[in-house]
């Protein structure tokens, strides 16, 4: 997010590109993004919105569902004109369920407006959008919104408000500094001296801290009230005081923020030491900026006559021209009229955008490493002309070349559907035709939300954001379009979360299945984040980011895409399976190495004996592998790399992305650091033992044969140690350190030398058959890790050692060469080996105290003091783990951070609103996976347990067992539970005899 404005500029661009800005508006939910966009539209030359409707119309929220819920669900853009510049503004959602729209908006932008509520401050989604801007290399500007709340709600003085604003700026800068991995540096107070005069301001050059991203004195921070339509940056007040007193604009712009004071007697700017003896000394930002603003708002609290006097004083001081009719209303309307004309919001924001954000030429030269990172081609047989043309295309994108001869390159960030009736229809002579249609078919048109990065087309050129019609049948979600086939695809976009909420969908009428399938295909194309799959049971599963996202998807299916009645199942929650293991990483490893307890399985024909033991991986190592799935897919060619999105015209054998660092080296370093951190966190005080543990883990990491499930999961298959042959002339199926070689943890030559050591006592054919069974071992491992023994959920953080020994057929050892092709009475031998390995791995997990792993949300709650008890009552019913509770400074609101299990989160927001009368709000973000400490197979064994639970027959299922049974029922797996809980026959009821029979 560094400023790219100083990049060298190419000469082959048109002047209009220099006057173009592409920005997106990013913020936490309800921090005022759409309201801000309303005022930008009303203040521009478009004339779309009347200024009095701005902030209430929510023009960018075009969907009925957006207007009804008062939240933005889709990113939408509009082109504005300001000061001979064209500014394309993309409004994005703030709700975490629609974070994919933030990614699509950020990819097409060059700069970002980061909004923060002045009262609520930085929230979790603020961190997320800052990170998104950092990843996409956007140039950000900070907008602190809702300044009026500091006056009207909190009743802060200008000095208290300054401290609050200073804290917000510092907090946002600390977040960005964490991305840069540098220390935050504070300004040092200094006394500024120089020649003083009646009409001259003495000022010594103030040094800026270049490490800080947001500095109000640089002009990239604005203070606004979007609802009332006013805002300012320090530059505006510096220019005003220059015109009024003749002071230096540059000097004032640097002194109007920070610990700088104005000495009225000496007409000098001084530091804190220069005003040590003055009692009423105030920072210049407070004295010259906030106090005039506060005086206008305080007029609204006075009587009408007093308010008129105060407002007239401000009008005279700042030479304002306000129509008399705007001063005749109520005090609040009068204040709004004065502020919006004194400090127009659109001027403050758009001027800041033009000054501080780069044009497409400067931005693309800075962002090229993110958009089109350099590729390193390995292997021969690639045409040099093809590579040269690909490099030419990259250079054109870097230069934002809009010449006619430049290759045209377009990136589509998403596809979105609009009703065909809303699009204009033109005749042969350009006249607009009637666009109404009475057809019964679906009337949806798919448009591509895209940006031209190089070249030009009619009415658009490089740097423009456009909508493209006619690609609905060719693009699913994203695409790179090029006028030449020899063009690298753009790098994929990064998303903050993944679709975790899943439901099964079926039509209410089975005859509508065709319409449902068609609707699901359309929904999958129209929403960049939704996933549509078919489960093993044949159910159509819809995956969404959260409850609000899911509700909108279901509504779109019913009303727009499928137009049929739907039956929606209860949410399908994903779990993982692992083992308990010891708390200490060292003890885990020690018991694993010393243990000789293997789970043994034999194939049905008796020819292969499989021995398996399992180890729990260190948590940090598991997390690194899981987070690096995309990198591993590129390195190993796993599931994510087999999507077919390859450039076939550049027929390379291996293409690796080289950006800031070597991804393989970075991943290898992270894995080793994760092991070391777990060893240190285990509390081991003996340095020798810790070093031995580290060396032992390094040896194990050199034996990684495969990862699973899907070849990129957080489970490891370790190659067995080379021990030659087994008993009775059996041969070990030798593994290979395939993954370790790919990650650079071991040299390929070391593995080959070890594998070349063979025994002369067995036939060569038996070794050849062992080599052919490598794929069976890998397939068995992938099957086992994809479906664990508890409830067929993927395994998590486990390492397996699989030793498979094969022996020759009895009395038929001379036919080994062809025996693998002969069908046996027990089935094909490769399938038997695969099944035996899968079963052995599952049994090994069951014998090592299996545990269920559930996904956890990080929950941020905001609630007033009087509703704190009700909020905790809701949290207590949902197995939450409260992390901290703090009161927001200067308000009666509490901020509570907690972990909420995903399985307990459904309906959480509705219940919270219901119990707190709508006063509390919550935001859920997927955080991590956490193992349940409950044993799903708990049986009382000790005397204390038997005294509490009895003999075990009356022990109710614990939480882990209930979750396992629920998942097994959903999947149609058998569940061990009592059908009749209380079978004692009731014998005490008297027989009712009618009175007439007595």
């Amino acid at each position: 997010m560094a400023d790219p404005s100083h990049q060298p500029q190419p000469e082959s661009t048109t002047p209009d590109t220099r006057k173009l800005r592409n920005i997106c508006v990013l913020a936490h939910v309800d921090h005022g993004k759409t309201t801000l966009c309303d005022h930008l539209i009303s203040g521009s030359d478009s004339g779309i919105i009347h200024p009095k409707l701005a902030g209430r119309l929510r023009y960018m929220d075009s969907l009925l569902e957006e207007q009804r819920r008062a939240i933005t669900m889709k990113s939408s853009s509009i082109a504005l004109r300001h000061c001979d510049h064209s500014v394309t503004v993309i409004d994005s959602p703030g709700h975490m369920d629609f974070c994919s729209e933030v990614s699509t908006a950020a990819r097409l932008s060059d700069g970002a407006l980061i909004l923060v509520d002045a009262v609520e401050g930085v929230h979790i989604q603020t961190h997320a959008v800052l990170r998104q801007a950092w990843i996409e290399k956007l140039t950000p500007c900070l907008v602190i919104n809702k300044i009026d709340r500091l006056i009207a709600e909190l009743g802060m003085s200008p000095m208290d408000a300054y401290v609050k604003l200073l804290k917000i700026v510092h907090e946002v800068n600390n977040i960005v500094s964490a991305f840069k991995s540098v220390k935050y540096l504070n300004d040092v107070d200094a006394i500024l001296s120089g020649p003083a005069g009646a009409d001259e301001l003495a000022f010594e050059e103030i040094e800026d801290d270049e490490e800080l991203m947001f500095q109000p004195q640089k002009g990239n921070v604005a203070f606004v009230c979007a609802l009332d339509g006013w805002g300012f940056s320090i530059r505006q007040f510096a220019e005003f005081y220059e015109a009024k007193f003749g002071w230096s604009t540059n000097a004032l712009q640097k002194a109007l923020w920070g610990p700088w004071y104005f000495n009225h007697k000496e007409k000098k700017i001084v530091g804190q030491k220069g005003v040590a003896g003055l009692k009423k000394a105030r920072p210049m930002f407070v004295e010259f900026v906030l106090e005039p603003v506060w005086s206008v708002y305080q007029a609204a609290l006075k009587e009408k006559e007093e308010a008129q006097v105060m407002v007239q004083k401000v009008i005279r001081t700042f030479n304002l021209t306000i129509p008399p009719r705007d001063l005749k209303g109520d005090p609040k309307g009068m204040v709004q009229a004065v502020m919006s004309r004194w400090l127009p919001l659109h001027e403050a924001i758009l001027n800041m955008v033009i000054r501080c954000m780069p044009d497409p030429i400067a931005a693309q030269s800075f962002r090229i490493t993110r958009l089109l990172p350099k590729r390193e081609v390995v292997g021969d047989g690639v045409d040099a002309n093809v590579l040269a043309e690909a490099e030419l295309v990259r250079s054109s994108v870097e230069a934002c070349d809009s010449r006619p001869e430049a290759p045209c390159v377009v990136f589509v960030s998403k596809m979105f559907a609009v009703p065909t009736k809303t699009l204009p229809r033109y005749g042969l002579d350009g006249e607009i035709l009637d666009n109404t249609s009475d057809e019964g078919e679906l009337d949806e048109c798919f448009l591509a939300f895209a940006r031209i990065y190089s070249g030009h087309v009619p009415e658009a050129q490089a740097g423009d954001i456009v909508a493209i019609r006619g690609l609905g049948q060719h693009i699913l979600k994203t695409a790179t379009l090029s006028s030449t086939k020899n063009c690298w695809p753009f790098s994929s976009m990064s998303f903050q979360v993944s679709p975790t909420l899943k439901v099964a969908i079926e039509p209410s009428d089975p005859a509508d299945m065709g319409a449902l399938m068609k609707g699901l295909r359309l929904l999958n194309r129209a929403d960049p984040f939704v996933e549509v799959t078919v489960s093993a049971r044949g159910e159509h599963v819809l995956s969404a980011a959260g409850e609000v996202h899911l509700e909108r998807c279901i509504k779109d299916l019913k009303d727009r895409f499928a137009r049929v009645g739907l039956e929606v199942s209860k949410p399908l929650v994903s779990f993982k399976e692992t083992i308990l293991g010891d708390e200490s990483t060292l003890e885990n490893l020690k018991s694993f190495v010393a243990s000789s307890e293997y789970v043994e399985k034999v194939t049905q024909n008796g020819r292969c004996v499989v021995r398996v033991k399992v180890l729990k991986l260190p948590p940090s190592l598991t997390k690194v592998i899981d987070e690096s799935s995309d990198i591993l897919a590129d390195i190993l060619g796993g599931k994510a790399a087999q999507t077919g999105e390859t450039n076939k015209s550049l027929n390379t054998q291996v293409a690796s992305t080289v950006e800031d660092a070597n991804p393989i080296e970075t991943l290898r370093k992270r894995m080793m650091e994760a092991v070391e951190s777990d060893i240190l966190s285990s509390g081991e005080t003996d340095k020798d033992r810790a070093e031995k543990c580290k060396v032992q883990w390094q040896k194990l990491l050199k034996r990684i044969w495969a990862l699973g499930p899907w070849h990129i999961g957080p489970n490891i298959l370790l190659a067995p140690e080379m021990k030659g042959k087994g008993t009775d002339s059996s041969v070990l199926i030798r593994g290979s350190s395939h993954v370790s070689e790919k990650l650079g943890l071991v040299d390929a030559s070391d593995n080959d030398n070890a594998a070349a050591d063979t025994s002369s006592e067995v036939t060569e054919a038996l070794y050849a058959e062992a080599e052919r069974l490598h794929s069976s071992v890998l397939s068995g491992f992938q099957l086992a890790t994809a479906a664990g023994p508890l409830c067929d959920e993927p395994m998590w953080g486990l390492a397996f050692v699989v030793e498979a020994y094969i022996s020759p057929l009895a009395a038929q050892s001379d036919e080994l060469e062809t025996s693998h092709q002969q069908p046996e009475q027990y089935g094909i031998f490769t399938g038997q080996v695969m099944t035996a390995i899968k079963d052995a791995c599952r049994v090994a997990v069951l014998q090592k105290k299996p545990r269920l792993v559930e996904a956890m949300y990080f929950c941020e709650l905001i609630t007033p003091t009087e509703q704190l008890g009700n909020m905790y009552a809701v949290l207590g019913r949902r197995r939450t783990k409260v992390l901290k509770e703090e009161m927001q400074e200067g308000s009666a609101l509490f901020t509570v951070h907690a972990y909420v299990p995903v399985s307990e989160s459904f309906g959480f927001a509705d219940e919270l609103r219901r119990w707190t009368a709508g006063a509390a709000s919550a935001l859920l973000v997927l955080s991590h996976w956490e193992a349940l400490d409950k044993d799903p197979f708990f049986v009382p064994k000790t005397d204390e347990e038997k005294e509490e639970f009895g003999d075990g027959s009356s022990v109710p299922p614990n939480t882990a067992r209930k979750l396992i049974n629920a998942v097994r029922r959903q999947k149609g797996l058998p569940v061990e539970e009592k059908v009749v809980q209380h079978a004692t026959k009731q014998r005490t009821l008297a027989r009712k005899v009618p009175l007439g029979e007595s």
Side-chain angles (χ1 to χ4, degrees):
M1 290 190 294
D3 183 8
S5 58
H6 301 296
Q7 297 287 335
Q9 309 298 345
E11 298 179 358
S12 59
T13 54
T14 60
D16 290 339
T17 310
R18 300 286 187 183
K19 296 185 177 181
L20 180 62
R21 300 292 186 272
N22 296 316
I23 67 169
C24 58
V25 186
L26 310 177
H28 186 81
V29 63
D30 289 335
H31 277 201
K33 297 179 297 299
T34 305
T35 304
L36 175 69
C37 290
D38 269 11
H39 283 282
L40 296 184
I41 297 171
S42 67
S44 66
D45 300 334
S46 61
I48 298 176
I49 301 178
H50 192 277
K52 290 189 176 181
L53 295 178
R56 297 165 179 81
L57 187 61
R58 299 181 63 87
Y59 180 78
M60 301 294 277
D61 289 347
S62 57
L63 300 177
L64 293 178
E65 191 71 7
E66 291 178 321
Q67 293 285 347
R68 186 179 70 85
R69 291 178 177 267
I71 61 172
T72 303
M73 298 182 178
K74 287 281 189 181
S75 58
S76 52
S77 65
I78 189 170
L80 307 175
R81 298 290 302 179
H82 182 73
C83 294
D84 199 28
H85 284 70
S86 177
V87 181
T88 302
V89 180
I90 306 178
D91 183 25
S92 63
H95 199 286
M96 182 58 73
D97 283 10
F98 307 101
C99 64
S100 61
E101 298 288 338
V102 176
S103 301
T104 60
R107 170 52 60 91
L108 302 186
S109 303
D110 297 323
L113 293 176
I114 309 295
L115 267 69
V116 178
D117 191 312
V119 174
E120 298 181 4
V122 175
H123 279 287
I124 183 170
Q125 187 66 0
T126 312
H127 289 257
V129 297
L130 281 168
R131 180 174 179 81
Q132 191 70 39
W134 173 262
I135 291 173
E136 292 293 341
K137 293 183 176 293
L138 304 183
T139 301
C141 287
L142 179 63
V143 179
I144 301 180
N145 191 21
K146 304 185 182 182
I147 300 293
D148 60 310
R149 294 184 63 189
L150 300 178
I151 312 171
E153 293 184 19
L154 304 185
M156 284 187 173
S157 66
M159 188 63 197
D160 293 337
Y162 167 69
V163 174
K164 176 76 172 177
L165 298 175
L166 188 67
K167 180 181 177 182
I168 292 175
V169 174
H170 281 186
E171 189 172 357
V172 176
N173 276 324
N174 287 339
I175 297 171
V176 179
S177 298
F179 298 151
K180 295 181 179 180
S181 299
V182 298
K183 294 182 180 180
Y184 174 77
L185 303 176
N186 289 318
D187 294 331
V188 180
D189 290 337
I191 300 177
L192 306 177
S193 59
D199 298 326
E200 186 177 356
L201 178 67
F203 187 81
E204 184 177 71
E205 193 68 19
I206 300 176
E207 296 294 333
D208 294 326
D209 188 348
E210 295 296 337
E211 297 294 339
L212 299 181
M213 175 62 67
F214 302 104
Q215 300 187 44
Q217 63 268 30
K218 284 189 174 182
N220 63 354
V221 179
F223 307 90
V224 308
C225 171
L227 186 61
D228 290 344
W230 61 267
F232 63 88
S233 63
I234 285 180
R235 184 180 181 89
Q236 291 175 259
F237 279 91
E239 292 174 349
F240 166 75
Y241 288 117
E242 179 195 27
K244 188 175 181 65
F245 301 112
W247 296 343
S248 169
T249 302
N250 293 333
L252 277 172
Q253 191 168 345
K254 294 181 179 180
L256 282 175
W257 181 262
W260 307 107
Y261 302 80
F262 184 67
N263 190 323
H264 290 271
K265 292 182 180 181
E266 301 179 4
K267 300 294 182 181
K268 293 167 55 177
I269 292 179
V270 296
Q272 288 182 344
K273 293 181 181 179
V275 292
L278 301 178
K279 296 182 179 179
K280 296 183 179 180
R282 307 176 304 282
M284 291 186 64
F285 182 76
V286 175
E287 182 177 357
F288 291 95
V289 178
L290 291 186
E291 288 184 357
V293 173
W294 254 243
S295 64
V296 177
Y297 265 87
Q298 287 172 352
L301 305 177
K302 306 286 184 180
E303 296 294 333
K304 190 169 183 179
E305 292 77 11
E306 296 182 28
Q308 288 280 2
V309 174
M310 295 183 68
V311 168
Q312 289 296 335
K313 181 179 178 180
V314 173
I315 292 175
R316 289 192 304 270
T317 303
F318 293 96
N319 300 323
L320 304 181
T321 303
I322 300 177
R325 65 176 180 274
D326 292 340
L327 301 176
K328 294 180 179 179
D330 61 302
K332 184 177 180 180
M334 180 174 58
V335 168
Q336 182 179 355
V338 172
M339 295 300 297
S340 61
R341 289 182 177 272
W342 173 26
L343 302 170
L345 176 60
H346 70 279
E347 289 188 5
I349 297 299
L350 294 178
N351 288 339
M352 180 176 66
V353 167
I354 293 173
R355 284 195 309 267
C356 300
M357 294 190 182
D359 56 72
I361 303 170
Q364 287 179 203
S365 63
F366 174 71
R367 299 181 62 206
I368 188 64
T369 55
R370 169 61 183 166
L371 301 174
L372 273 175
K374 284 188 176 181
R375 264 76 172 190
E376 192 175 288
V377 179
V378 180
D380 300 328
V382 181
D383 189 352
N385 294 329
V386 172
L387 295 177
E389 187 175 1
E391 186 60 30
L392 175 63
V393 173
R394 186 178 185 275
S395 301
S396 299
V397 172
E398 182 177 5
C400 191
D401 196 345
S402 57
R403 295 175 300 170
E405 61 270 20
C408 185
V409 180
V410 178
F411 180 76
V412 178
S413 66
K414 70 170 183 176
M415 301 294 293
F416 64 100
V418 295
T420 306
K421 298 178 181 180
T422 62
L423 298 176
R425 215 171 133 208
Y426 298 98
L428 297 177
D429 298 328
E431 71 277 12
I432 298 179
L433 304 178
D434 184 12
N435 208 18
T436 58
S437 174
D438 297 331
E439 298 178 4
E441 299 181 359
L442 191 63
D443 243 356
E444 297 289 340
C445 177
F446 282 88
L447 301 178
F449 192 34
R451 170 172 169 172
I452 304 174
Y453 283 91
S454 174
H456 77 286
V457 295
E459 299 183 2
Q461 63 177 6
D464 289 336
I465 295 176
V466 297
I468 306 175
R469 186 174 182 176
L471 298 176
Q473 300 299 321
H474 307 284
I475 298 176
L476 180 59
K477 293 184 183 293
T478 65
T480 302
L481 310 178
S482 174
S483 59
T484 171
K485 64 179 180 180
N486 297 321
C487 172
W488 292 106
F490 275 51
S491 61
S492 58
M493 296 182 297
S494 62
F495 297 103
Q496 302 166 19
V497 297
S498 58
T500 55
L501 182 58
K502 303 178 181 180
V503 293
I505 295 181
E506 62 181 21
S508 302
D509 185 355
D512 294 330
M513 179 57 74
L516 174 61
M517 294 177 65
K518 180 182 178 182
L520 287 173
R521 287 195 298 269
L522 295 175
L523 176 65
N524 191 30
R525 185 180 296 120
D527 194 304
F529 207 53
V530 76
E531 290 184 2
V532 178
T533 56
V534 179
S535 68
R537 300 175 60 188
E539 298 174 317
H540 292 276
V541 178
L542 180 66
S543 303
E547 288 187 89
V548 180
H549 185 209
L550 178 64
E551 289 176 10
R552 202 206 68 200
C553 291
I554 299 299
K555 182 175 178 60
D556 285 346
L557 269 179
K558 290 181 177 179
D559 300 342
R560 297 179 62 187
F561 300 127
R563 295 182 179 177
V564 297
L566 298 177
E567 298 293 332
V568 183
S569 71
K570 292 182 179 180
L572 310 175
V573 185
S574 298
F575 293 93
K576 308 283 186 184
E577 300 181 21
T578 188
I579 60 176
L580 181 60
D582 296 319
E583 293 184 2
S584 170
T585 303
L586 185 61
E587 293 299 327
N588 259 334
L589 185 60
K590 183 179 177 181
S591 60
F592 175 76
V593 174
S595 174
S596 59
E597 298 179 0
Y598 284 84
V599 172
E600 191 170 297
K601 289 285 183 180
V602 183
T603 56
Q604 290 179 308
N605 62 3
R607 284 197 58 210
C608 181
V609 178
V610 177
R611 302 172 68 229
V612 175
K613 65 178 180 178
V614 63
L615 164 71
K616 185 175 182 181
L617 293 177
S620 297
L621 180 60
T622 304
K623 184 179 179 181
V624 168
I625 297 175
D626 182 57
E627 292 176 348
S628 307
S629 59
D630 292 339
I631 299 176
L632 289 169
D634 293 335
I635 298 172
L636 306 177
K639 177 182 177 182
Q642 297 173 357
T643 57
E645 296 179 357
T646 57
N647 195 329
K648 297 182 180 180
S649 60
L650 294 173
N651 188 18
T652 59
Q653 297 179 10
V654 177
S656 62
T657 299
V658 180
E659 189 175 349
D660 297 330
N662 186 347
I664 299 178
E665 183 179 347
T666 303
L667 177 57
R668 181 171 65 246
K669 183 179 179 181
R670 289 185 63 199
M671 292 175 65
M672 300 308 301
E673 289 176 349
V675 172
E676 293 178 10
S677 66
D678 273 304
I679 294 174
L680 294 176
S681 63
S682 62
E684 181 57 48
T685 57
D686 191 342
K687 293 184 178 180
D688 292 337
R689 292 186 62 190
E691 187 63 27
K692 289 180 181 179
C693 180
K694 177 182 175 182
V695 172
Q696 188 63 42
W697 266 111
Q698 290 175 348
K699 292 180 179 179
L700 290 178
L701 293 179
K702 292 180 180 180
R703 293 167 47 193
I704 303 178
W705 187 358
L707 300 176
W710 309 300
H711 303 282
I712 54 173
N715 302 286
I716 292 176
L717 174 62
L718 299 174
E721 294 180 325
M722 301 304 174
K723 298 179 181 178
K725 65 184 183 70
T727 58
D728 300 330
S729 301
S730 60
V731 173
L732 174 67
I733 299 179
R734 304 176 186 274
S736 63
S737 304
H738 171 69
V739 175
S740 297
E741 293 173 17
K742 292 284 188 179
L743 297 179
L745 295 167
V746 65
D747 294 333
S749 57
D750 297 340
N751 186 63
D752 293 340
N753 294 336
D757 183 18
T758 60
S759 174
S760 59
E761 298 180 5
V762 295
T763 63
E764 183 180 351
L766 195 59
Y767 275 102
E769 185 177 19
E771 290 291 330
R772 290 192 294 269
L773 290 173
H774 275 196
S775 60
S776 298
V777 176
L778 294 176
S779 298
F781 167 73
Q782 297 295 337
L783 290 173
T785 53
L790 296 180
C791 51
D792 277 5
E793 290 292 302
M795 295 185 186
W796 176 261
L798 301 179
F800 294 89
V801 174
V802 177
E803 297 180 1
Y805 296 90
I806 60 171
S807 55
L809 289 172
Q812 295 182 8
S813 59
D814 56 336
E815 300 180 3
L816 279 175
E817 183 67 28
T818 58
S819 62
H820 68 282
Q821 299 177 353
Q822 303 294 330
E824 303 178 3
Q825 60 176 330
Y826 302 108
I828 299 176
F829 184 44
T830 54
Q832 295 181 47
V833 174
M834 192 186 309
T835 303
I837 290 173
K838 182 190 72 171
D839 294 342
C841 291
R842 290 164 64 99
V843 173
V845 171
L846 284 175
Q847 291 184 359
K848 287 289 185 177
K849 300 179 181 179
R851 292 292 185 269
L852 195 67
V853 184
E854 61 179 348
M856 302 292 288
Y857 278 131
F858 176 81
C859 180
E860 185 179 64
L861 301 107
I862 300 176
T863 181
T865 307
E866 60 271 13
Q867 297 294 342
L868 206 56
N870 293 332
M871 183 204 68
Y872 276 116
V874 176
L875 294 179
R877 289 191 288 270
R878 294 181 178 266
R879 296 193 294 117
T880 57
K881 183 188 299 182
V882 178
L883 303 177
K884 73 172 184 178
E885 168 195 311
E886 61 183 4
M887 191 172 188
Q888 293 183 8
E889 184 179 356
S891 69
L893 297 176
F894 275 85
T895 299
V896 178
H897 291 170
Y899 286 139
V900 180
V902 172
S903 58
E904 301 286 346
S905 66
F906 308 115
F908 172 68
D910 291 337
E911 183 182 7
L912 185 67
R913 282 193 295 267
R914 187 169 61 252
W915 277 76
T916 62
S921 62
L923 183 69
L924 301 175
V925 181
L926 187 64
S927 174
H928 64 283
W929 293 88
E930 184 175 308
L932 283 168
D933 57 354
K934 304 288 185 181
D935 183 2
F937 306 108
F938 172 74
V939 175
K941 295 180 180 179
T942 65
D943 294 339
E944 292 80 4
E945 291 174 348
K946 290 180 180 179
E947 182 178 352
E948 182 177 356
F949 300 103
D951 59 355
S953 59
S954 59
V955 177
N958 56 29
T959 303
R961 192 56 182 264
K962 290 178 181 178
L963 294 174
I964 291 173
N965 289 343
V967 175
R968 294 183 70 90
R969 288 191 194 95
Q970 287 178 348
K971 295 184 176 181
L973 301 174
V975 177
E976 296 181 5
E977 60 180 353
K978 294 180 179 179
V979 178
V980 179
Q981 294 291 340
H982 307 286
T984 304
K985 188 174 181 179
Q986 204 166 7
R987 302 175 182 275
T988 58
L989 293 180
R991 181 172 178 270
K992 301 297 183 181
V993 181
L995 293 176
E997 297 180 4
S998 57

